[in-house]
Amino acid sequence: MADPKNFVDLQAGFYNALAQGLGYSPSDPFQVIQPSPPLTGGNLGDELLWNYLNNLPPASLTQNTSVSGGNQFLANYQGVMSALQSAPNNFQSTIGEACFEAYQKALAAGDVKPGPMNFRNWALYNGTCSGVAVSGASALAAAMLDPVFAAQMNVLPYKPAGTENVDFVPGYQKMLALLKKAPSRSFSVSAGDWSTNVSSTWTGGSNSGFFGLWGGSSSTSTLSEKFASGGVSLTASFQHVLPFNATPGDWYSSSAFGLAYNSPGAAPWNPANPINWDKTFGPQGNMQRFASNLLIADQMEIVVSSAASYSTNEQTEIKQNSSAGMWPFYSSGGSSSSSTTVTFKATGEMEVKITSEAGAPVVIGCTVLSAEVYLGHEAQAAKALARTYYPRT
């Protein structure tokens, strides 16, 4: 146990303290999420919550959601579905090219939901397809027994090709109800008592992308380094902490995705498509890890004390930037349901207090699962499907 030497050490020490305070063992695949503004609820509640689950986590002890937003579950999943070949079927030949194209456009526009009965009801009132409403519904029912074809149809209504936003089940209101019943958690770390060794964690110590003293600042800036090495103590309490798990909505097919994962370099992957198994699940792939349980806190109170002495100019700079949120959760001052206050003693020592109100959930971390673990329960079923629909030659 010692004082951190730099901000890298401080962030590692905070990771260990938070993980232990929440009941995790050093080997558990826990990840700190920063910044952590409160979920405001209202009409945006579901969207804000599901964005965390839609974000694919990096191989880091810290996930900075401000800089890691380009790797999205739905978008990458859509890419995989476009790279798979479904088993032969006669749906398209039954309804004809014109009707098939009209149906694809209607799915993307949200004018019809996937499924045989929905096709029939839509086709009856569509001049291009009215004559094949019944035969087309029967052909579609047979075609959708193939998990790949069904998955390709089910994901069409979603953005960017369609109009539907990504969704997971359950949503924000269910999460709030569960959060109110979740237990409390608290922990504290005294100056000189930080455990900064993260070599035995799930990433082997890899930790990147985190900010410095305030949101958007560099962890190697002069003030960040002074803060980190100047004797930091921290107390944290959460009235409720909920491990929240949600599953992808109708856009997702675990059977088709599991089939893709368990068929490297073979059908149903289309060898002519640039998206392949290696680019998806391989060492440099874009779908190696998934966020499972989100750790959601309510009524948070964090007090951070720094024994370093800050000059008048440094105090001014810190206060001017505190609205961007302060370490460790960077809850920006723009939210009415959270506050960040910075005060200095006459001798220059600093205290930061971060609070969030009741009913204003804050996502502070998640459990990270590898693709193998995330899809592990589908392995045997996927292999059986592969033998049925895509037999090796």
Side-chain angles (χ1 to χ4, degrees):
M1 300 292 185
D3 270 328
K5 297 177 181 178
N6 50 41
F7 212 95
V8 173
D9 278 354
L10 181 63
Q11 185 68 15
F14 176 68
Y15 174 87
N16 284 333
L18 179 62
Q20 182 178 2
L22 294 175
Y24 289 96
S25 70
S27 60
D28 287 334
F30 172 69
Q31 185 175 72
V32 178
I33 291 180
Q34 301 169 321
S36 306
L39 304 179
T40 56
N43 294 331
L44 292 177
D46 284 341
E47 180 181 343
L48 293 171
L49 175 64
W50 292 336
N51 281 344
Y52 284 97
L53 293 163
N54 193 41
N55 206 48
L56 297 176
S60 170
L61 300 180
T62 303
Q63 179 185 166
N64 187 328
T65 55
S66 296
V67 298
S68 62
N71 207 16
Q72 302 293 301
F73 191 171
L74 172 58
N76 292 356
Y77 171 85
Q78 286 174 319
V80 172
M81 291 304 110
S82 72
L84 304 183
Q85 292 178 310
S86 61
N89 65 72
N90 65 354
F91 173 60
Q92 187 170 350
S93 61
T94 297
I95 66 175
E97 288 294 334
C99 178
F100 185 77
E101 183 178 347
Y103 180 54
Q104 297 283 98
K105 290 181 179 178
L107 283 171
D111 295 335
V112 59
K113 297 289 185 181
M117 289 301 97
N118 291 326
F119 169 82
R120 189 199 67 175
N121 295 338
W122 168 82
L124 284 171
Y125 299 97
N126 185 293
T128 307
C129 301
S130 58
V132 293
V134 176
S135 59
S138 297
L140 181 56
M144 291 190 76
L145 294 174
D146 169 26
V148 171
F149 183 84
Q152 291 169 336
M153 291 293 103
N154 288 338
V155 81
L156 271 175
Y158 290 83
K159 292 180 178 178
T163 59
E164 296 289 328
N165 291 316
V166 66
D167 62 331
F168 291 79
V169 180
Y172 183 81
Q173 291 302 322
K174 180 63 175 179
M175 180 274 293
L176 280 182
L178 294 172
L179 183 60
K180 291 177 181 178
K181 301 176 182 179
S184 62
R185 296 283 186 179
S186 62
F187 65 93
S188 62
V189 186
S190 302
D193 200 30
W194 292 91
S195 173
T196 60
N197 184 356
V198 289
S199 60
S200 62
T201 59
W202 64 279
T203 69
S206 178
N207 199 12
S208 61
F210 47 87
F211 291 142
L213 179 54
W214 59 79
S217 67
S218 170
S219 60
T220 59
S221 70
T222 301
L223 271 176
S224 293
E225 294 286 27
K226 179 176 183 175
F227 166 74
S229 60
V232 176
S233 61
L234 180 148
T235 62
S237 66
F238 311 94
Q239 187 64 36
H240 305 283
V241 177
L242 171 71
F244 175 75
N245 191 33
T247 57
D250 291 340
W251 54 271
Y252 176 74
S253 166
S254 59
S255 57
F257 201 45
L259 180 60
Y261 178 77
N262 286 283
S263 307
W269 291 96
N270 182 351
N273 196 295
I275 298 174
N276 56 36
W277 193 97
D278 285 333
K279 291 180 180 179
T280 304
F281 301 115
Q284 305 301 318
N286 61 5
M287 301 193 81
Q288 297 180 62
R289 291 166 297 277
F290 300 83
S292 180
N293 287 338
L294 297 179
L295 270 294
I296 304 177
D298 190 38
Q299 287 183 263
M300 172 178 70
E301 181 173 299
I302 312 289
V303 178
V304 180
S305 299
S306 172
S309 180
Y310 298 89
S311 69
T312 301
N313 288 340
E314 288 173 333
Q315 293 180 29
T316 300
E317 184 177 358
I318 292 169
K319 287 183 176 180
Q320 286 176 340
N321 286 283
S322 64
S323 61
M326 299 288 286
W327 182 87
F329 286 124
Y330 308 106
S331 297
S332 63
S335 171
S336 60
S337 54
S338 69
S339 67
T340 298
T341 58
V342 180
T343 57
F344 293 90
K345 296 180 180 179
T347 49
E349 294 93 337
M350 177 174 64
E351 181 179 276
V352 178
K353 186 174 183 179
I354 304 168
T355 63
S356 64
E357 295 180 355
V362 178
V363 179
I364 59 175
C366 70
T367 301
V368 178
L369 299 182
S370 67
E372 180 180 10
V373 174
Y374 189 81
L375 291 167
H377 64 288
E378 297 294 332
Q380 296 305 316
K383 290 176 182 178
L385 283 168
R387 289 192 295 269
T388 301
Y389 288 97
Y390 311 97
R392 303 295 192 263
T393 56

